[in-house]
Amino acid sequence: MRLMLAQTAPQWGDVPANLVTLEALCRQASAAGADLLALPELALSGYNIFARLEEFAEPVGGPIARRLGELAADYGLFLLVGLAQRQADGRMTNAALLIDDHGERLATYHKRQLWDREHAVFAAGDACCVEDTRLGRLGLMICYDNEFPEMARALARGGAEVILSPTANMVPNAERQVLQIRARALDNQCFVACINRAGTEAELHYCGNSLVAGPDGEVLGQLGAGAGSLVVDLDRGRLGESRANQDYLKDLRPTPEITP
Amino acid sequence: MRLMLAQTAPQWGDVPANLVTLEALCRQASAAGADLLALPELALSGYNIFARLEEFAEPVGGPIARRLGELAADYGLFLLVGLAQRQADGRMTNAALLIDDHGERLATYHKRQLWDREHAVFAAGDACCVEDTRLGRLGLMICYDNEFPEMARALARGGAEVILSPTANMVPNAERQVLQIRARALDNQCFVACINRAGTEAELHYCGNSLVAGPDGEVLGQLGAGAGSLVVDLDRGRLGESRANQDYLKDLRPTPEITP
């Protein structure tokens, strides 16, 4: 599959403007022959919108999702976009929506590991999310999820070949992000892509450095701190190659708990 | 604590010669003010001794352990040394022996994740090993254990502040080793030290690159490919600093299994 990451710096609170940018990115992705275009966490509202979440959270199947479906179908692209979602019971989640190239919703993942002030506004998701697609078996996680090896491991044990993670990670965490994404890929012998933000929102300075790591932990592509995009080909044959000598998922023994 | 790692290239199958080298290392460690001297996996026999394991496996409390106790007491050093051990039931394990500075055995860890041909000769250990010492709470793992995030996580959840891993890792795994050791340290916000071998034994070319990583994944010291040693101070105050902003062990939620 050919993956395009868009490390955007969204207009804060301006969904219509960010949808216009998204259409330009779809055009770019289509011209690059990409199969899937992935955007950061809360990519259409901006991340630092906690105080205005009631206004920006999207009901399930709401107008943003409908527009994403149109764009996906128009440009023949899978889309992965982070957005705040309001559930039927009124609770908000920090979600990632995966849409196929016919505009159909394939999966919605709700962030499990909330970070810092997110606890005050979002309900944490419970489920992990792995989705079979014609591009391969895709696992989803979001930002702080990346920092827990258990998350990527659960996705890989669930069969994920490519793990995609929209993020809004901040300065000074760029090196930490690169280290953890590479380790998740190596430890699970799969592809892991982190789609981070650029730009600044009030006191938050996003650190960019979006990257794609391959099944031996190698960096297949990485951006700097500023806005930009990255197109990489993910060869699923690499998964078997990496597992030919040693296969961590097969070799792994259950680890006993130790009483502290 | 002040830690000295000895990245040795043992004389193959010559335990007396390797014990002489060990005494020289004890003298060096003592002169450097080290509290603990750590050696690689199977450091006194050589690693590639599978065909002669009956000859080289040490019974519990055997002559090597007694000599280690004398050296530890004589030089006032904690010692951590990898060796093959024959259990009471005749089974062999790939072990690491931790001895305090009075020459008393504190812990024996038996490698849980056996690698490749080790399965044919060693019985895998079951238990994880975390030991309270006056230097801090020390967790032990050995070589292939490092490649499974579950191992370091279990030790950290068991309270390990410093994880020590004697290894005999080979070319071309140096970069993989550095990535995984740094990620184990960062993910668990603790110190992790990998004490690897140098040199060559028949078809096996060891990759060196022993290193110590700190609780933000930073490299506190690293060797190259050849034999050498490294002395680093581990400041336990760094553990609290690293966990002040976010504490992974506290924040971690149980991850549900996904059906593949």
Side-chain angles (χ1 to χ4, degrees), chain B:
Chain B
M1 71 178 280
R2 181 167 288 181
L3 172 64
M4 176 168 148
L5 310 185
Q7 180 169 294
T8 57
Q11 298 294 310
W12 187 79
D14 190 345
V15 175
N18 294 322
L19 282 171
V20 169
T21 301
L22 176 59
E23 180 156 14
L25 289 165
C26 286
R27 205 174 301 122
Q28 182 187 333
S30 175
D35 299 297
L36 190 155
L37 168 63
L39 271 78
E41 186 176 14
L42 302 180
L44 297 171
S45 56
Y47 173 78
N48 197 357
I49 53 143
F50 305 116
R52 294 172 66 192
L53 197 60
E54 286 287 342
E55 180 184 344
F56 285 107
E58 157 101 349
V60 176
I64 292 176
R66 285 199 303 274
R67 181 62 185 143
L68 294 176
E70 290 169 6
L71 289 170
D74 287 354
Y75 291 91
L77 287 169
F78 285 67
L79 288 179
L80 175 68
V81 178
L83 80 182
Q85 201 178 68
R86 186 185 305 117
Q87 309 305 307
D89 62 7
R91 297 195 306 170
M92 316 286 190
T93 64
N94 183 334
L97 198 55
L98 177 65
I99 293 169
D100 77 8
D101 52 350
H102 301 292
E104 299 298 317
R105 185 179 70 81
L106 289 179
T108 310
Y109 169 66
H110 306 282
K111 186 176 184 175
R112 295 187 75 258
Q113 290 283 351
L114 298 176
W115 185 74
D116 198 61
R117 72 185 97 168
E118 292 173 16
H119 287 280
V121 293
F122 288 120
D126 280 322
C128 292
C129 181
V130 176
E131 190 66 30
D132 238 337
T133 76
R134 72 164 174 79
L135 304 179
R137 212 164 154 87
L138 308 183
L140 302 182
M141 52 188 194
I142 299 176
C143 206
Y144 196 38
D145 289 334
N146 302 349
E147 304 191 36
F148 299 86
E150 289 82 355
M151 279 293 309
R153 181 67 104 202
L155 297 174
R157 287 171 65 111
E161 297 168 309
V162 180
I163 297 175
L164 301 166
S165 180
T167 70
N169 203 357
M170 296 142 203
V171 172
N173 296 327
E175 195 184 352
R176 169 187 293 244
Q177 172 180 284
V178 173
L179 177 59
Q180 287 179 316
I181 294 295
R182 291 183 62 200
R184 303 300 170 251
L186 170 57
D187 289 342
N188 296 292
Q189 300 180 295
C190 66
F191 295 97
V192 182
C194 164
I195 310 100
N196 198 26
R197 281 208 37 171
T200 290
E201 288 175 327
E203 75 285 10
L204 301 184
H205 300 266
Y206 302 100
C207 68
N209 275 277
S210 296
L211 76 156
V212 187
D216 293 319
E218 72 276 26
V219 174
L220 299 177
Q222 184 174 341
L223 291 166
S229 65
L230 188 63
V231 176
V232 286
D233 286 322
L234 308 186
D235 171 8
R236 287 153 72 189
R238 285 281 297 112
L239 302 174
E241 281 172 24
S242 175
R243 293 174 189 180
N245 281 330
Q246 56 204 29
D247 184 329
Y248 289 149
L249 293 177
K250 276 195 191 146
D251 288 353
L252 170 65
R253 298 178 61 211
T255 316
E257 285 292 318
I258 311 171
T259 310

